[in-house]
Amino acid sequence: MNIMYHSTRNNAKELTASQAVLQGLAEDGGLFVPSALPVLDCSLDSMKDMTYQQVAYEVMKLFLTDYTEEELTYCIEHAYDAKFDTEEIAPLVYADDAYYLELFHGATIAFKDMALSILPYLMTTAARKNNLKEEIVILTATSGDTGKAALAGFADVEGTRIVVFYPKNGVSAVQEKQMVTQKGKNVKVIGIHGNFDDAQTGVKKMFNDEGLKAELKEKGFVFSSANSINIGRLVPQICYYVYAYAKLMAEGKIAEGEQINVVVPTGNFGNILAAFYAKNMGLPIAKLICASNENKVLFDFFRTGTYDKNREFMLTSSPSMDILISSNLERLIYRIAGNDADKNKELMAALTGQGKYEITEEMKKGLADFYGNYAGETETAAEIKRLYESCGYVIDTHTAVASAVYQKYVKETGDNTKTVIASTASPFKFTRSVMNAIDAKYDAMGDFELVDELSRLANVKVPNAIEEIRTAPVVHDKQCDVDKMQDTVKAFLGM
């Protein structure tokens, strides 16, 4: 089956997978979605003995139908290699009646590595396939993790440049140090005076500026995105849910066809959307549990059917989820609107204009697979402490939000279906918050003293990603106001 892609705001124009990967964001501001969701054509029973790379191929071949077997295999093998510190790539750890899917074993110790390790290969392959002559400029806004993972993926990749914007005071100390120490002749990191939503809005504005795009083309550049709005980010994320299910089967924890629940700490909605796509492809998932932090715009949406970003923006200990505009939700809205691009466009216009929209009663029925809840700062810290004290397992703040919400779900529903919790970052990425949650006495320690103490407590080796930045010099110290984002991009490109 040949899968084509079109915008969530216009069904008429179709692109191949490689064209959609290259473009990143549709010209009308919409997000690319597949013409139909494919069905898994390889049995789960046969997948249980496969490596991560083999499962990834079986899933991605269904979506990226204009990539040859040779091209796709090349991309997968070069993405999921020794950059990961475990052969399993995404191991499952059983702790306190749940299975934690550790998605942080890549180069930058966050789940973004799972997709951003392969995106540069998918993109450069797509450029060759489509005879692209221009240099690709990756434009990315980050709430903390995407930035470093994208920088690491695209650093010194021929034919590309990458510009990352992050909220200057809205990421953890480790996240910032990882970004500002990034080497590479084609990379630029800029701290903006604003929050993540400001950064994301500024990036989208540049994507939608026809005059800027024409100016770029004249100078030999073309924009693309490494954010989760790029379909080349979303497709690889589906793979690890299929892999997790296959591994549970291989270990005899579930029978083929047995349903599981999946819990995902959610900000921009891409990670949980990938699980939703997996379910609709035939993976036996019962409930999709959407976990929010104090920026609980998604929790309110699932409870009321109204998405309203008109609220105070909270800075929390789980900064990658400090988001009020969940971009990938648009793909779900489009689907529950019956793939009605006009209806979706109307709702997104309301979000831009009034900062909110309300879905219809009919559309609400399409949310039946989801359960939404949130965990406040105190609850998040308490969950880190509880899990550590009960079984010695240490999780980061984002995973703790998911774990705390899962506890609420079980208490509320009594549902004891076997559950996979997406563990989206290493605790070493948020060391101070994690260690303070375990015991307030640790707050007196320096950042890297805490790293060593966490290693001792959790009995886990300090990841390379942390060792590398202990003494690494800062190479990016540029800051700008939101209205100067375009100017900084043009200066970097020598325009």
Side-chain angles (χ1 to χ4, degrees):
M1 184 171 155
N2 189 33
I3 300 286
M4 299 295 285
Y5 290 82
H6 58 260
S7 168
T8 47
R9 302 183 192 182
N10 179 3
N11 291 347
K13 187 179 177 184
E14 289 197 323
L15 277 71
T16 63
S18 64
Q19 288 168 338
V21 166
L22 267 184
Q23 202 170 309
L25 187 70
E27 288 166 356
D28 55 20
L31 277 60
F32 289 117
V33 286
S35 51
L37 275 183
V39 176
L40 291 170
D41 63 356
C42 180
S43 77
L44 292 165
D45 187 60
S46 63
M47 283 193 200
K48 73 178 193 293
D49 300 317
M50 289 185 183
T51 63
Y52 188 87
Q53 293 86 342
Q54 289 168 328
V55 170
Y57 176 76
E58 291 301 329
V59 173
M60 285 196 241
K61 72 173 188 187
L62 302 174
F63 286 92
L64 307 175
T65 51
D66 69 321
Y67 286 76
T68 66
E69 181 178 353
E70 186 184 8
E71 286 169 339
L72 193 50
T73 301
Y74 173 87
C75 292
I76 289 167
E77 285 178 355
H78 283 76
Y80 306 111
D81 57 8
K83 289 191 288 293
F84 287 80
D85 64 18
T86 168
E87 269 187 46
E88 291 171 283
I89 307 297
L92 280 165
V93 174
Y94 183 72
D96 192 45
D97 293 330
Y99 295 91
Y100 289 80
L101 178 61
E102 292 188 345
L103 300 172
F104 53 75
H105 288 273
T108 75
I109 57 175
F111 83 101
K112 307 294 172 81
D113 289 324
M114 300 299 294
L116 282 163
S117 293
I118 193 167
L119 184 62
Y121 293 101
L122 293 176
M123 200 170 272
T124 49
T125 302
R128 284 195 299 274
K129 290 176 80 66
N130 291 280
N131 300 312
L132 189 75
K133 300 289 184 276
E134 291 85 7
E135 192 171 357
I136 302 167
V137 179
I138 306 295
L139 209 54
T140 293
T142 184
S143 54
D145 287 336
T146 286
K148 174 60 181 179
L151 289 163
F154 282 95
D156 293 323
V157 170
E158 205 173 318
T160 70
R161 296 203 202 182
I162 177 165
V163 185
V164 169
F165 292 98
Y166 74 97
K168 178 64 187 120
N169 297 307
V171 300
S172 80
V174 169
Q175 284 176 314
E176 183 171 46
K177 189 83 186 283
Q178 282 188 301
M179 287 189 281
V180 298
T181 56
Q182 176 67 51
K183 294 175 187 166
K185 62 182 185 298
N186 64 333
V187 306
K188 186 74 175 173
V189 181
I190 301 152
I192 67 147
H193 305 138
N195 59 39
F196 168 72
D197 287 334
D198 296 325
Q200 183 165 254
T201 301
V203 164
K204 282 187 172 179
K205 198 173 168 185
M206 281 187 267
F207 268 109
N208 295 328
D209 186 329
E210 292 304 322
L212 178 61
K213 281 196 275 193
E215 207 178 326
L216 282 164
K217 195 169 179 61
E218 197 180 306
K219 301 285 185 183
F221 300 113
V222 62
F223 277 150
S224 191
S225 170
N227 277 80
S228 57
I229 53 175
N230 192 314
I231 198 72
R233 274 278 304 274
L234 187 60
V235 169
Q237 290 180 276
I238 300 167
C239 304
Y240 46 73
Y241 294 111
V242 179
Y243 178 75
Y245 191 94
K247 287 301 114 183
L248 287 175
M249 280 179 60
E251 292 167 16
K253 308 297 184 191
I254 56 172
E256 186 173 14
E258 184 179 341
Q259 289 199 315
I260 61 168
N261 289 336
V262 172
V263 190
V264 187
T266 309
N268 222 8
F269 208 76
N271 203 2
I272 196 163
L273 181 73
F276 174 77
Y277 275 14
K279 175 183 168 78
N280 283 275
M281 292 170 72
L283 196 68
I285 295 173
K287 252 334 184 214
L288 295 153
I289 300 168
C290 179
S292 300
N293 65 14
E294 287 180 353
N295 292 290
K296 57 188 182 67
V297 64
L298 288 165
F299 164 72
D300 292 337
F301 170 68
F302 283 118
R303 291 293 160 105
T304 66
T306 298
Y307 191 96
D308 187 353
K309 74 176 182 75
N310 301 311
R311 61 185 71 204
E312 185 185 353
F313 186 96
M314 313 290 281
L315 288 173
T316 74
S317 61
S318 46
S320 298
M321 299 160 68
D322 290 347
I323 291 172
L324 293 180
I325 304 171
S326 302
S327 286
N328 269 289
L329 186 64
E330 180 171 345
R331 286 184 167 114
L332 179 66
I333 296 299
Y334 170 79
R335 187 175 174 87
I336 63 174
N339 299 340
D340 185 337
D342 291 334
K343 179 63 180 172
N344 176 67
K345 194 174 179 180
E346 175 195 317
L347 294 172
M348 294 308 125
L351 182 64
T352 304
Q354 292 87 52
K356 66 176 184 177
Y357 60 80
E358 185 176 358
I359 62 172
T360 65
E361 288 302 316
E362 189 60 31
M363 288 171 73
K364 283 180 192 174
K365 292 175 189 171
L367 301 178
D369 293 336
F370 291 90
Y371 165 91
N373 215 320
Y374 76 100
E377 287 290 87
T378 305
E379 293 170 308
T380 302
E383 184 63 8
I384 292 170
K385 186 179 177 74
R386 183 193 72 79
L387 202 59
Y388 170 69
E389 290 182 346
S390 69
C391 57
Y393 188 53
V394 182
I395 55 175
D396 91 293
T397 46
H398 303 73
T399 308
V401 168
S403 194
V405 164
Y406 175 58
Q407 299 301 319
K408 290 184 180 184
Y409 171 78
V410 173
K411 194 174 177 183
E412 194 179 305
T413 64
D415 179 7
N416 289 307
T417 300
K418 286 172 186 135
T419 296
V420 169
I421 297 175
S423 184
T424 53
S426 164
F428 286 95
K429 202 149 192 170
F430 304 93
T431 318
R432 187 164 297 280
S433 296
V434 169
M435 295 300 279
N436 281 355
I438 291 170
D439 195 320
K441 71 181 183 186
Y442 291 120
D443 202 34
M445 287 187 175
D447 286 334
F448 285 100
E449 281 181 286
L450 283 173
V451 164
D452 294 328
E453 185 63 11
L454 172 56
S455 174
R456 188 188 65 76
L457 271 188
N459 196 27
V460 174
K461 182 174 172 282
V462 177
N464 285 339
I466 299 295
E467 291 293 5
E468 283 169 3
I469 61 170
R470 275 190 200 258
T471 55
V474 170
V475 290
H476 304 277
D477 57 3
K478 177 83 178 168
Q479 296 179 36
C480 78
D481 292 331
V482 176
D483 61 357
K484 298 289 186 231
M485 287 170 65
Q486 187 178 130
D487 293 343
T488 61
V489 171
K490 289 169 86 167
F492 173 57
L493 299 177
M495 292 169 62

